[in-house]
Structure formats: C-alpha cells, structure tokens
Amino acid sequence: MLERVIDLFRAGDVAVLTGAGVSTESGIPDYRGPGTLKRARTPIRFADYMATHANRARYWARSMVGWERFSQAQPNAAHRALAELEASGVLAGLITQNVDRLHHRAGHQSLVELHGALAEARCLSCGSFESRASIQLRLLRDNPQLHARYDALAPDGDAALPDEAIDGFIIPTCEHCGGVLKPNVVFFGENVPKERVERSYGIVDRARTLLVVGSSLTVFSGLRFVRRAKERGMQVAIINLGQTRGDNLADVRVEATAGTALQTIKNALSLH
Ligand SMILES: NC(=O)c1ccc[n+]([C@@H]2O[C@H](COP(=O)([O-])OP(=O)(O)OC[C@H]3O[C@@H](n4cnc5c(N)ncnc54)[C@H](O)[C@@H]3O)[C@@H](O)[C@H]2O)c1
Ligand SMILES: [Zn+2]
C-alpha cells in the first residue's frame, strides 16, 4: 500500500495534512490514539476560559507544569522526512493541526498552523504578543510553590493537577495593558481564523494529491480538506495508526507509523 503513496509522490504536488500522530514519536501524546482513549480528557473550551478567573488559573497552572516537557520535545523522523520532501519540491504545501512547532524546528519552511501555536500568547484586549517562554519565566517566578511538583503531561502541554494546587495561583496578564492573555491556539468552541482556512484550501487546490498523516480526522477542522480534495477529484491517501473519519473517502489507506512511513517514502524518492 505504501508503494501506491510513493507513486503519488512521484507525480508531485502533494498537499500534506498532519495531526497529533506525527508528534507522538517525539513524546507528545495525541488525543485519540489506541493508547490514549483511557486517559483522554476534554481540553478547555473557549467559553470556559473566558468565563472565570478560576478557570484561567487552572489552565495556566496546568500549562506551567506541562510546559517543561512539552517545550523540550524534539522533531522526529516524520518531521524531518517532510522537511526534506518539501526541500525537494514535491510538496504543494503543508497544513498542520499541531500546535507544537516541531515542523518548523525540523526545518520546514512554509506551512499553515491551522490551530495556531502554543509558543506564543496574545492579549485579548490590546492584541500584543508575548512568547510562551517569557510567560513561563513569569509563571515560575510568581508561583514557586507549584514548581516541579507535578509533571503528568497532557496532549496540548497542560497537565493534570489536583484542585488544591490551584489555590492562590497567580495568572499571567498582559504586560502592556493588564488584559487577558490567551495562548495563540484555537480552543475548542472557537473558529479557525478565516484567512488560515483560505490559505489551507489554497494549498489543497493547487495539489494533485492530499496525504493525511497522523490524524483521526475527528475534528471537522481537518476533515474539510479531505472533503475538498474529493470534490476536486484528487487522490486522497491516509497514513495513520487506527481508523480515521476520512477512511471512507480515501483512495489509499496505510496502517503505519508516521516516522517510518515518511522516511520510506523519502528514501524511495532517493532524497538522502
Ligand atoms: N502535538 C500537538 O501539537 C497536539 C497533540 C495533541 C492534540 N493536539 C490538538 O488536538 C487536535 C487533535 O486532532 P488530531 O486529529 O491531530 O489528533 P488525534 O489525537 O485525534 O489523532 C491522532 C491519530 O494519530 C494516530 N497516531 C498516533 N501515533 C501515531 C504514529 N506514530 N504514526 C501514525 N499514526 C499515529 C492515532 O492513532 C490517532 O488516530 C489537533 O487539532 C491539535 O490541535 C495537538
Ligand atoms: Zn494588552
């Protein structure tokens, strides 16, 4: 089956859509993998984040604890193979649903971060940005009692914490205006900015093939590109461990580990 995907790459103009499954080999858990279902938690919804100070304190306390490991994750074979495929000119573009910046760190030049990135936060009042690394220093300075006490990592870089750990937690606010800071990622219950969706459709529209790697396609946000590709009569290939919501639309379906499969594709195209 992978042979068929390699043939599609030989024809060129491949749009790639990646999900959490390309980063599990870097040690960042996904939401819906075979081993994840039991401990899956519901990520924070936008309305809840906005609703109360206590909800934001919980979010940032978890985030502070989870960040140490999340930010130390390194790109893996999947990210590297995609960056090399990009450099060789066979990609029409990359759309990622991940918020971990690992494609950039592997040297990928051009991509759409559909759901944003945890590496930065934005003030909801004045719009200014602050890097997550800088916020982490403030979090650690203001909340030394939490430091290094808990380290269970949850998928998007936040960690499970007992209620008492949140008491007295000081949340970071905008350094310019005191406004509410929000990580620059699309929370559940929020829409992906229109311009990002349009840029992503643009990538699909100039491609011959759409390859989905490491995504369950549970969220419409990613599934819509598979639908678009089929509407345009394109070939759709999926490389994933386990079922996806796009399987019935796929022309080729490969049950494989992202890193191994993408390295095999890269090697078959003689890119070393
Ligand atoms: N790394 C991250 O940035 C990260 C991690 C978790 C969740 N999220 C966010 O949550 C949403 C989750 O949706 P999603 O579809 O991306 O992820 P998902 O968790 O719904 O699905 C991931 C899929 O990848 C498969 N998988 C796991 N490891 C794999 C591997 N090594 N090779 C191949 N397949 C593998 C799983 O079985 C699962 O079907 C995303 O939109 C993202 O914003 C991001
Ligand atoms: Zn501000």
Side-chain angles (χ1 to χ4, degrees):
M1 273 320 210
L2 197 55
E3 204 47 52
R4 281 187 64 193
V5 183
I6 291 166
D7 284 341
L8 292 171
F9 268 89
R10 289 206 170 99
D13 295 328
V14 181
V16 181
L17 171 67
T18 61
V22 301
S23 293
T24 53
E25 292 165 73
S26 296
I28 301 176
D30 56 10
Y31 280 153
R32 302 177 191 88
T36 344
L37 290 174
K38 287 184 291 299
R39 58 184 167 78
R41 291 183 308 102
T42 315
I44 189 159
R45 299 186 59 82
F46 179 65
D48 295 333
Y49 186 81
M50 295 310 293
T52 66
H53 186 275
N55 287 350
R56 289 193 290 282
R58 169 164 295 279
Y59 175 87
W60 282 108
R62 288 173 162 179
S63 174
M64 168 183 143
V65 170
W67 181 252
E68 301 294 327
R69 257 183 74 191
F70 186 84
S71 61
Q72 280 163 22
Q74 297 297 321
N76 66 51
H79 303 104
R80 287 193 296 273
L82 285 170
E84 289 175 57
L85 286 163
E86 178 191 46
S88 78
V90 294
L91 299 191
L94 171 67
I95 308 160
T96 187
Q97 300 170 85
N98 295 342
V99 295
D100 55 29
R101 283 270 154 97
L102 291 181
H103 285 300
H104 292 87
R105 305 230 332 257
H108 216 102
Q109 298 294 310
S110 164
L111 62 142
V112 178
E113 291 178 303
L114 195 61
H115 298 159
L118 280 175
E120 57 205 15
R122 199 172 68 86
C123 172
L124 296 180
S125 300
C126 76
S128 62
F129 284 88
E130 181 173 355
S131 78
R132 183 63 184 75
S134 153
I135 291 174
Q136 185 70 1
L137 294 177
R138 297 206 276 138
L139 282 164
L140 293 171
R141 181 196 67 201
D142 295 343
N143 302 284
Q145 76 285 2
L146 253 188
H147 181 52
R149 266 177 65 199
Y150 309 94
D151 70 349
L153 184 73
D156 45 10
D158 68 352
L161 283 181
D163 280 345
E164 61 270 21
I166 317 292
D167 288 345
F169 188 83
I170 295 173
I171 30 180
T173 52
C174 175
E175 293 208 291
H176 303 283
C177 77
V180 172
L181 276 180
K182 180 182 165 287
N184 201 20
V185 298
V186 176
F187 279 173
F188 278 71
E190 246 188 314
N191 291 322
V192 178
K194 203 168 166 6
E195 163 274 332
R196 261 185 240 163
V197 177
E198 291 308 319
R199 261 195 298 146
S200 304
Y201 277 136
I203 289 173
V204 175
D205 289 353
R206 61 173 184 265
R208 189 190 296 258
T209 297
L210 174 66
L211 170 68
V212 180
V213 193
S215 174
S216 67
L217 296 171
T218 309
V219 197
F220 172 71
S221 183
L223 184 66
R224 63 180 137 196
F225 302 113
V226 175
R227 296 215 176 124
R228 173 75 152 229
K230 284 325 291 176
E231 279 161 25
R232 297 190 62 248
M234 293 164 54
Q235 294 287 302
V236 172
I238 298 179
I239 299 174
N240 197 62
L241 292 175
Q243 289 182 346
T244 83
R245 202 147 73 99
D247 287 354
N248 59 337
L249 295 170
D251 301 283
V252 192
R253 169 81 180 85
V254 183
E255 179 76 22
T257 301
T260 313
L262 289 167
Q263 287 288 338
T264 305
I265 293 169
K266 187 207 80 179
N267 291 336
L269 298 181
S270 310
L271 315 172
H272 294 291

